Every structure is written in structure tokens, then in C-alpha cells.
Amino acid sequence: MDDEKSWGGAIAETLKTIVYALLIAGVFRTLFFQPFWIPSGSMKDTLLIGDFLFVNKMTYGYSYASCPSVRIPAVGLDIDAEDLCGWMQGGDGRLFGGMPERGDVAVFRHPVSGRDFIKRIVGLPGDRVQMRDGRLHINGEAVTLAPDGTFEEVMRPQGPQGIRPRCANAPVGTGATCIKEKFEESFPNGETHSVLNIGRQASDDTPVYTVPDGHFFLMGDNRDNSSDSRVPQQIGGVGMVPYADLIGRADRVMFSSAGRSMLFFWTWRGDRFFEKIE
């Protein structure tokens, strides 16, 4: 009998430990830092498929979007942030809110699908944003764009989804070098970053978008391979992102995997440990 009580007590203690660990992890993820795995190439070459980073939630304060979404399709689990923290919606939508700056790389909830996206903030409330001939214009002025060589990668499937890169020198066979034009873009506030160009396409020329109050205009650095604010929500794009939908700012890559899984440590990129995001 004593052995049975001892065994039962051990199981109870183990379960309590697991519950406490999950609660602590949930609080940490909700209030401080959220892990994020880069699934696509829309932010190349700033962020690569397979980069693993933590999103700083304290930068912009807290909204309903700060609460975690839990999706495990294999067991039919789908708990959305709105299910947990929908009561926080309304008003300015944030607690201890901090104002984003132009050039921040931010993670946000897609206004329609609720999925987490990561892009660069290029337009602030009240700004007029337009693309003309592949160059970003803010409030009628073209941002500085300086040639910066090329970005090269091997043509092969990337990440768990096996995505193949798009190339300026297409068609490119498997194992060959995929090339994109690279530029250094500089915003009026002095923030600089890298952007890529593949070729002429419709998103290189847009109407003038005026960013409404309480919203932001976000774009991917891989300009010709990004679904972002240039495409309105009504036709399947991201559109303007509400302040309440911002989750946090991405500041540093912790590590990066060039393989199909972050667990394949032999595929980790040795030059991206603790890489600052600019």
C-alpha cells in the first residue's frame, strides 16, 4: 500500500511540475518574448528561411494579439488569441503601448487569417506610401536606394515547406546559383536596411496609400516575393495593419537552420548565431 501511495504521489508531483512549467512558459511568452520561426523568404536577405528568433513584446506594449494562439491540427486543437484575450479589443487596443518606429521589423497578426506574419514597418499613421518603378516613396519623396551588389543562394528546396527561391537570373536549375539584385534602402529617419529585387512586376507600381490613424504599412524586404500592405485585404493581401494587431519587434536572430527542421543541428548556419536584425 505504501508503495502505491508513493507511486501515486510521484505521478501527482510530476503532473504539477508539468502544469507549473506550462504556466510559467505561457506567462513568459505572453508578456516578454515570443519564439518565431521564419517560414518563407519574404524578408530575405534580412531574414532567411529557417531563422529562429524571439519577438520582444515589451516594445509595443500589450494587446489581445499578445496572447498566444495554440494550433495543433493533428489533434484538432485550435485556440486563437481572440478566444483568450478578445476582451482586450476596443479603444486604442493596447496596454502600456509604445509607438513603433519606421524601419522596425515587426511580427503581427494577419488582420484576416489571424496567422503571425513578419514584415518591416515602412509607413506610419498619416503617411502617404507609394511604389513607383520599384522604388518606395513616402509622402511624395523617394527613399534613398543605393546598389549593393547581389544576393546569391543555391537553387534548392528550403525549409519544411520545400520552398524554391525566385531568381533574377531565372530559369535556374537545381544546384545552380540563384541571383537577386541587392540594394541598401535608407529611410528619412536614418534607418538603413537591405532590399532585394527580382524583376519588373505589378507591385513595383502602386496607387498612393494613405495610412489611417491607428494603422501601419508593412512590406517585406524581398520586395518581389512578399504579400504585404501593397495588396488590400479585400483581394487577399495584408492591407493596413491595425496597431492592436502588432505583437512585437524582432531584434536578433538566435540561430538559423538551413535544413528541413530546426532540430537538424548539422544544418545550422554558423554565421547567424545572435545576429542583429537591421
Side-chain angles (χ1 to χ4, degrees), residues 99-117:
M99 184 56 62
E101 296 184 5
R102 196 190 318 276
D104 284 358
V105 175
V107 172
F108 62 95
R109 274 175 54 90
H110 190 289
V112 176
S113 71
R115 301 290 180 177
D116 291 350
F117 274 44

Side-chain angles (χ1 to χ4, degrees), residues 8-24:
I11 292 177
E13 286 301 319
T14 300
L15 290 175
K16 283 199 298 184
T17 300
I18 292 173
V19 169
Y20 290 153
L22 290 174
L23 288 173
I24 292 170

Side-chain angles (χ1 to χ4, degrees), residues 27-38:
V27 170
F28 183 85
R29 187 182 188 277
T30 300
L31 296 180
F32 303 112
F33 297 97
Q34 175 178 318
F36 192 83
W37 176 265
I38 302 299

Side-chain angles (χ1 to χ4, degrees), residues 118-261:
I118 185 166
K119 308 288 180 185
R120 189 179 299 276
I121 295 176
V122 304
L124 305 178
D127 280 345
R128 289 174 289 108
V129 180
Q130 183 183 28
M131 291 291 290
R132 295 186 209 163
D133 196 25
R135 176 172 288 197
L136 177 63
H137 289 65
I138 300 174
N139 297 324
E141 298 291 331
V143 301
T144 302
L145 199 64
D148 192 28
T150 59
F151 172 71
E152 300 182 2
E153 57 188 333
V154 177
M155 169 57 76
R156 62 187 176 201
Q158 300 177 353
Q161 301 176 44
I163 299 172
R164 290 179 175 268
R166 294 181 58 207
C167 316
N169 59 328
V172 176
T174 300
T177 301
C178 173
I179 299 174
K180 298 176 182 63
E181 294 180 297
K182 183 177 176 180
F183 297 86
E184 185 180 78
E185 186 174 73
S186 301
F187 286 153
N189 63 356
E191 191 277 340
T192 63
H193 53 271
S194 173
V195 296
L196 302 181
N197 177 61
I198 297 171
R200 291 290 301 163
Q201 59 182 42
S203 58
D204 286 338
D205 292 280
T206 72
V208 177
Y209 295 104
T210 299
V211 185
D213 287 343
H215 290 71
F216 297 86
F217 197 100
L218 292 94
M219 293 175 61
D221 290 346
N222 192 2
R223 291 289 164 80
D224 294 337
N225 194 31
S226 174
S227 175
D228 50 42
S229 294
R230 287 172 290 181
V231 180
Q233 297 171 18
Q234 296 88 332
I235 56 175
V238 172
M240 308 294 178
V241 177
Y243 185 33
D245 285 351
L246 295 179
I247 295 173
R249 187 181 67 202
D251 293 325
R252 195 172 296 272
V253 174
M254 304 307 293
F255 69 90
S256 181
S257 172
R260 298 292 295 255
S261 170

